[in-house]
């Protein structure tokens, strides 16, 4: 059975920068509070006429170029997003049309901030079972559109962006293992309680916004993302010192530091990019991976453990040999 390998990464952040000082003009908060509680200094916000698929397209083109491929080489497209352009068609189908790829399957997966891990898991299985040879896997979000900009508990934490990888079939590993979990009992702790089938009138009247029990989410995120690192190591008969890099979901520097401390992982093995773009949900892990690949922290042959955690709750990880 072949492996899937990451052969190219790409990322894109919208041009408009919204600093903590800018947010001080919107809600009762301070730059120092936001930095102390989240590590976030600024985030990117889409232009009025910019949508999730626009970000996905830019990140995808960079990943395709980095992989030395053409769009016509791609035979599977998966987009992880909770902020699709429209209810349907999927953002993956919109992206497919933009890239001029005709025929192969294109679909979205929705697992909020863990979405990219779910998408990677599915793409890996397509490749391992020889249903695809070259997959484009994207995490893309415009969370600024589902934030209540008068709610200081949430609006300071999130931003917009997209990240992408190209996975190719290979005799060499590759993705060594993937691990996914969900627990719907916690559905109310981090959610957008408005939708198309439920509370549609509210959506028409006032919009759909993220609500969150911050303290509870913090505790669960640290526990789940620490435990899944151990699960991933055990599945590969590896120890922590054999990982070159941990690329965790970029929600909050305090969550990331707490995971590192709990595991006993030195900070110089953890990729942290959250201060520059906040929590970009499904885009966070591929954006962080792309940055670390492009600045040569992550090198060919490195063992990289990626992991995410999001609303649902959902959480997942993958052990990758780059
Ligand atoms: N600016 C200033 N004060 C704020 C604030 C803001 N942006 N947001 C909340 N506060 C206030 C609260 O109202 C509270 O005031 P009170 O004590 O008068 O009620 C006080 O700060 C402390 O709030 P608390 O919730 O205890 O802070 P915290 O240390 O838990 O930090 C979060 C809040 C949201 C930063 C933290 O809980 C967190 O990071 N949670 C996880 C969020 C996350 O990553 N979600 C996505 C996961 S995918």
């Amino acid at each position: 059975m072949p492996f899937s390998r990451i052969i190219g990464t790409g990322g894109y952040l919208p041009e408009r920068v919204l600093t903590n000082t800018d947010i001080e003009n919107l809600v009762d908060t301070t730059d120092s509070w936001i930095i102390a509680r989240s590590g976030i200094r600024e985030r990117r916000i889409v232009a009025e006429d910019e949508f999730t698929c626009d970000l996905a397209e830019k990140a995808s083109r960079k990943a395709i170029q980095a992989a030395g491929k053409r769009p016509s080489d791609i035979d599977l497209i998966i987009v992880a997003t909770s902020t699709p352009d429209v209810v349907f068609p999927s953002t993956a189908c919109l992206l497919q049309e933009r890239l001029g790829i005709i025929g192969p399957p294109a679909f979205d997966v929705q697992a909020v901030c863990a979405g990219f891990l779910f998408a990677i898991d599915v793409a890996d299985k397509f490749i391992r079972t020889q249903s695809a040879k070259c997959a484009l896997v994207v995490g893309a979000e415009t969370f600024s559109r589902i934030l209540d900009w008068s709610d200081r508990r949430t609006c300071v934490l999130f931003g917009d962006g997209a990240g992408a990888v190209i996975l190719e079939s290979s005799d060499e590993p590759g993705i060594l293992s993937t691990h996914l979990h969900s627990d719907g009992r916690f559905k109310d702790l981090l959610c957008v309680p408005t939708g198309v089938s439920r509370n549609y009138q509210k959506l028409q009247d006032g919009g759909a916004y993220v609500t969150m029990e911050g303290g509870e989410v913090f505790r669960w995120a640290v526990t789940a993302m620490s435990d899944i690192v151990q699960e991933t190591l055990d599945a590969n008969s590896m120890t922590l010192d054999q990982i070159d890099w941990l690329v965790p979901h970029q929600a909050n520097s305090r969550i990331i530091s707490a995971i590192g401390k709990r595991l006993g992982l030195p900070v110089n093995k953890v990729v942290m990019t959250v201060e520059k773009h906040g929590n970009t949900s499904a885009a966070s892990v591929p954006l962080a991976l792309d940055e670390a690949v492009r600045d040569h922290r992550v090198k060919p042959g490195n063992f990289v453990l990626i992991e995410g955690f999001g609303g649902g709750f959902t959480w997942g990880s993958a052990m990758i040999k780059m």
Side-chain angles (χ1 to χ4, degrees):
M1 196 186 275
F3 291 95
S4 69
R5 272 190 87 87
I6 293 181
I7 57 161
T9 65
Y12 179 75
L13 291 168
E15 277 175 24
R16 184 177 158 216
V17 176
L18 189 73
T19 65
N20 292 346
T21 314
D22 296 330
I23 295 188
E24 285 178 4
N25 298 320
L26 301 176
V27 289
D28 180 16
T29 192
T30 59
D31 176 44
S32 56
W33 191 97
I34 301 171
I35 292 173
R37 300 297 173 109
S38 72
I40 299 164
R41 290 174 187 276
E42 59 185 44
R43 69 286 296 142
R44 301 298 184 92
I45 305 292
V46 278
E48 246 174 64
D49 60 351
E50 200 172 21
F51 306 101
T52 297
C53 187
D54 298 314
L55 311 187
E57 182 187 355
K58 288 189 168 118
S60 299
R61 289 196 188 279
K62 287 185 185 175
I64 293 167
Q65 189 181 33
K69 295 284 177 188
R70 289 164 303 169
S72 56
D73 296 320
I74 291 164
D75 58 4
L76 172 68
I77 301 173
I78 307 180
V79 176
T81 187
S82 301
T83 47
D85 284 34
V86 291
V87 174
F88 68 80
S90 66
T91 304
C93 281
L94 304 183
L95 177 63
Q96 180 181 42
E97 189 265 342
R98 296 273 186 92
L99 296 173
I101 302 167
I102 298 161
F107 56 91
D108 290 358
V109 301
Q110 208 270 48
V112 205
C113 300
F116 183 74
L117 282 305
F118 279 65
I120 280 282
D121 175 274
V122 175
D124 179 58
K125 290 185 165 84
F126 263 78
I127 288 177
R128 297 200 67 158
T129 55
Q130 300 180 41
S131 302
K133 281 196 164 62
C134 185
L136 168 62
V137 185
V138 187
E141 303 277 16
T142 48
F143 253 56
S144 63
R145 297 254 158 75
I146 53 165
L147 293 175
D148 176 352
W149 286 99
S150 65
D151 178 7
R152 68 179 184 173
R153 293 166 303 172
T154 51
C155 76
V156 302
L157 298 174
F158 295 91
D160 302 333
V165 302
I166 303 293
L167 282 182
E168 189 174 54
S169 174
S170 165
D171 292 334
E172 303 284 319
I175 292 183
L176 295 165
S177 70
T178 55
H179 309 268
L180 300 181
H181 297 281
S182 306
D183 192 337
R185 288 177 300 170
F186 301 105
K187 63 188 188 319
D188 298 326
L189 296 182
L190 175 57
C191 61
V192 176
T194 319
V196 178
S197 181
R198 190 188 291 201
N199 294 335
Y200 186 57
Q201 193 57 45
K202 266 198 201 165
L203 183 68
Q204 288 188 312
D205 293 345
Y209 301 118
V210 173
T211 64
M212 182 179 68
E213 296 296 330
E216 284 287 300
V217 173
F218 190 102
R219 277 186 286 282
W220 277 101
V222 172
T223 305
M225 284 203 283
S226 303
D227 289 353
I228 206 169
V229 167
Q230 197 55 53
E231 178 185 338
T232 310
L233 290 171
D234 290 347
N236 291 285
S237 303
M238 288 174 72
T239 50
L240 201 58
D241 57 315
Q242 290 176 283
I243 311 177
D244 295 294
W245 291 101
L246 175 68
V247 183
H249 172 42
Q250 306 289 315
N252 178 319
S253 64
R254 280 169 62 222
I255 293 179
I256 297 172
S257 302
I259 295 167
K261 208 167 154 194
R262 215 174 138 127
L263 292 167
L265 187 67
V267 283
N268 61 1
K269 283 191 161 194
V270 182
V271 174
M272 180 118 76
T273 58
V274 66
E275 73 166 37
K276 287 179 281 189
H277 50 63
N279 182 346
T280 57
S281 190
S284 121
V285 170
L287 266 172
L289 181 64
D290 179 57
E291 181 170 320
V293 166
R294 283 175 194 265
D295 67 19
H296 306 294
R297 270 178 288 175
V298 168
K299 297 179 185 62
N302 276 179
F303 287 102
V304 177
L305 199 161
I306 62 174
E307 60 167 345
F309 176 88
F313 290 143
T314 51
W315 62 107
S317 68
M319 179 70 83
I320 303 168
K321 186 161 185 234
M322 296 296 291

